[in-house]
Amino acid sequence: MPLTRNRLILAKAETTYGTAPTMAGTDAVYVKSDLQISPLQMELVDRDLLYGYLGNSPRLASQQLGQISFSFELAGSGTAGTAPKTGIFYRASGHSETIVASTSVTYAPIGSGYEGITIDGYADGKRHRLTGVRGNLMIDWSTGEIPLGKFEGLGIYSLPTDTANPSPTYTAQAAPAIVNSANTTTVQAFGYAACMDSFSFNAGRSPSFRQLAGCTRQIRIDGERKPEGELMIESVSLASKDFFTQATSQTLGQVSFVHNATAGNICTFTAPTCSLGDVEYDDSDGIEMFKLPYMPIPTATNGYNDYTIAFT
């Protein structure tokens, strides 16, 4: 009897796009129990034949895709300058990976040279393989909770096989630190040192499938990107920080935070030039809060410097 909990994934970068590399248990990555694999999503074309009687016409499959989504703990590798195993999902969602030995690993958006990865999803003895996987990255942080990243991707369908779950080896994934005042000590909201209740971010990629006659089929993420997010912080007096004027004047400002203090597991999110949307009030335990929707803006000198996610 197959069990829902007996699931795991392997993920590995491809040398040749769409061609699966050799996969092993050492490619296992911890993901949360919200793992969803839709291994086959077809687009069917009706042949629309006339039979001389009524009834359905046969169909042909014009495209065969797979979709996958899951959350993962947002943490470093445990060693400064060593990429976390989950870094492969940043790379598959349109980010570069810059490693400074013994110091840092930084992810930043790119506009070309997108990587593809292969993901093997095991469902208690059945292997579902997706190649050429690319997708979108999101981040969700709430006080008192484990900080999470989320990956939503599309991949090229492969026939499933009856294959026993591999013996996984999980490396370079440090235990996360809970979001709280002890672990998340620095929060900047447009130049104000804020008390943060929650933080969200969406890299704004929209994966799509493309296959043209004579060309290699692929998952594309090179359309327009629209990163955005939202902060919820304790409200403050206008004298302390006038977020309303910040919004109406569209004065750009920084959104950033530093989480954790253990080397190899410190996460810093920095969006240096953000615009502010409609400021709204909310409530948290009877305390008045501000909801601050923000949108990172790139500068003309680079075009892909609107945010970074660094592990040190």
Side-chain angles (χ1 to χ4, degrees):
M1 179 183 300
L3 300 177
T4 302
R5 293 286 301 184
N6 286 350
R7 296 181 298 161
L8 74 154
I9 68 168
L10 311 180
K12 193 171 185 178
E14 297 169 348
T15 301
T16 301
Y17 179 79
T19 300
T22 301
M23 309 289 281
T26 51
D27 300 313
V29 187
Y30 282 130
V31 296
K32 302 285 284 183
S33 61
D34 63 354
L35 170 65
Q36 294 290 330
I37 303 175
S38 300
L40 178 58
Q41 295 184 336
M42 296 186 295
E43 183 175 296
L44 298 173
V45 178
D46 198 320
R47 294 176 63 188
D48 198 21
L49 301 175
L50 294 176
Y51 293 127
Y53 49 85
L54 303 181
N56 290 322
S57 180
R59 297 180 294 180
L60 298 175
S62 68
Q63 69 179 37
Q64 302 173 41
L65 293 178
Q67 186 173 18
I68 188 167
S69 68
F70 50 81
S71 298
F72 58 90
E73 296 173 332
L74 207 153
S77 67
T79 303
T82 296
K85 190 66 93 47
T86 52
I88 195 167
F89 306 129
Y90 298 81
R91 291 157 54 188
S93 54
H95 295 87
S96 62
E97 181 182 74
T98 302
I99 297 176
V100 178
S102 303
T103 303
S104 63
V105 181
T106 302
Y107 298 95
I110 54 176
S112 62
Y114 303 107
E115 290 191 67
I117 66 174
T118 292
I119 294 180
D120 282 352
Y122 284 86
D124 204 356
K126 295 183 292 294
R127 188 195 72 183
H128 295 282
R129 170 167 287 178
L130 300 178
T131 58
V133 177
R134 291 172 176 152
N136 187 40
L137 174 74
M138 289 161 282
I139 296 174
D140 184 18
W141 295 47
S142 295
T143 298
E145 303 290 340
I146 294 172
L148 295 177
K150 185 170 186 178
F151 179 78
E152 293 182 348
L154 296 178
I156 299 167
Y157 171 77
S158 299
L159 284 171
T161 61
D162 283 322
T163 305
N165 288 10
S167 298
T169 301
Y170 295 101
T171 58
Q173 280 188 264
I178 296 293
V179 179
N180 57 28
S181 59
N183 295 324
T184 317
T185 56
T186 303
V187 177
Q188 286 288 325
F190 295 89
Y192 179 74
C195 295
M196 182 180 74
D197 180 72
S198 64
F199 167 88
S200 67
F201 174 73
N202 187 323
R205 301 282 186 175
S206 299
S208 62
F209 179 67
R210 185 172 177 85
Q211 61 172 355
L212 298 179
C215 292
T216 301
R217 55 185 176 171
Q218 61 175 303
I219 307 301
R220 297 183 59 198
I221 54 172
D222 56 356
E224 185 61 272
R225 63 186 184 94
K226 296 287 188 180
E228 61 181 2
E230 184 179 271
L231 281 163
M232 184 179 289
I233 66 170
E234 285 189 1
S235 72
V236 296
S237 68
L238 298 179
S240 296
K241 178 65 179 180
D242 187 350
F243 288 105
F244 297 95
T245 298
Q246 182 99 31
T248 56
S249 66
Q250 283 297 284
T251 302
L252 301 182
Q254 179 167 298
V255 171
S256 64
F257 64 80
V258 179
H259 178 69
N260 209 353
T262 303
N265 202 14
I266 302 168
C267 179
T268 302
F269 175 90
T270 306
T273 51
C274 295
S275 69
L276 180 59
D278 297 338
V279 181
E280 297 182 11
Y281 287 102
D282 210 315
D283 173 85
S284 175
D285 299 323
I287 304 298
E288 184 179 84
M289 309 293 287
F290 280 148
K291 288 172 66 174
L292 305 177
Y294 67 92
M295 188 172 69
I297 307 292
T299 61
T301 56
N302 180 292
Y304 296 95
N305 57 357
D306 39 338
Y307 67 88
T308 57
I309 304 166
F311 295 95
T312 55

